[in-house]
Amino acid sequence: MARDTLDRRTFVRTTAALGVATAIAGCSGGSGSGDGGDGDDGGDDGGSDGSDGSDGSDGSDGGSGEEEYLSEEPDYDGFLDDANNYEQTVDMTDADEVTVEVGAADGLSFGPAAVAVSSGTTVVWEWTGEGGDHNVSSTDGEFESDTFGEEGETFEHTFEESGTYTYACTPHETVGMLGAVHVE
Ligand SMILES: [Cu+2]
């Protein structure tokens, strides 16, 4: 009996240690400030070790939470095919104001790269200071920021009309610094 318990505890501890090692290894890809951004590399092996109580209830109030994706991906006409940090469109249609990082993940990304908002929503792009000089330049010319490199700079645009808006960072457009806002 006693030994049985002990064995099980050892097993649990070993498993936990392994889980930690895996988590650490999983993070080592992207130097820093991982805002949940490690999702795109092989999240499907062994599935998101929820281990330490990341219950987050049904929350969306803390910010650092799980991202919800649109159930049906908008048609970006291939624009985001080479976009860094893009996997799916993050559903932020409940928010009045949405922040997108400029210089997310590896520094040459928008974060989230694709976001869905409701019409009337203001999107605030906020520079992280990573990756050099960036701007936000819409494909159809509807909005364009200045070019900044410093952390904390911001640019905003309010999307009144539904539709799909694509944009790029002009200096890094050719290396995949692309983004989109889908307005519902
Ligand atoms: Cu850039």
Side-chain angles (χ1 to χ4, degrees), residues 107-108 131 133-135 169 171-172 177:
L108 300 181
D133 288 347
H134 307 293
N135 74 348
C169 163
H172 300 119
M177 191 163 176

Side-chain angles (χ1 to χ4, degrees), residues 90-103:
V90 177
D91 183 355
M92 293 181 146
T93 50
D94 287 341
D96 295 329
E97 185 177 294
V98 167
T99 300
V100 174
E101 288 191 333
V102 181

Side-chain angles (χ1 to χ4, degrees), residues 37-41 69 73 83-89 113:
D38 46 14
D40 64 346
D41 32 275
Y69 298 114
E73 197 63 4
N84 301 333
N85 198 37
Y86 168 66
E87 204 175 346
Q88 290 180 70
T89 300

Side-chain angles (χ1 to χ4, degrees), residues 79-80 102 110 125 127 134-148 155 157 159 165-173 177-181:
F79 184 83
L80 294 180
V102 181
F110 294 103
W125 284 269
W127 273 248
H134 307 293
N135 74 348
V136 172
S137 177
S138 82
T139 305
D140 62 9
E142 178 154 337
F143 52 91
E144 178 158 7
S145 76
D146 290 333
T147 300
F148 301 116
F155 169 72
H157 181 77
F159 292 86
Y165 301 82
T166 56
Y167 63 92
C169 163
T170 307
H172 300 119
E173 184 169 8
M177 191 163 176
L178 308 169
V181 177

Side-chain angles (χ1 to χ4, degrees), residues 9-100:
R9 201 187 303 136
T10 306
F11 173 75
V12 168
R13 202 192 299 135
T14 307
T15 309
L18 251 169
V20 170
T22 308
I24 291 170
C27 288
S28 65
S31 65
S33 77
D35 39 302
D38 46 14
D40 64 346
D41 32 275
D44 46 4
D45 55 319
S48 64
D49 52 357
S51 40
D52 37 15
S54 58
D55 62 45
S57 27
D58 47 17
S60 77
D61 49 296
S64 67
E66 294 130 40
E67 292 178 334
E68 289 195 18
Y69 298 114
L70 285 188
S71 53
E72 192 174 332
E73 197 63 4
D75 181 7
Y76 296 115
D77 205 17
F79 184 83
L80 294 180
D81 286 355
D82 296 322
N84 301 333
N85 198 37
Y86 168 66
E87 204 175 346
Q88 290 180 70
T89 300
V90 177
D91 183 355
M92 293 181 146
T93 50
D94 287 341
D96 295 329
E97 185 177 294
V98 167
T99 300
V100 174

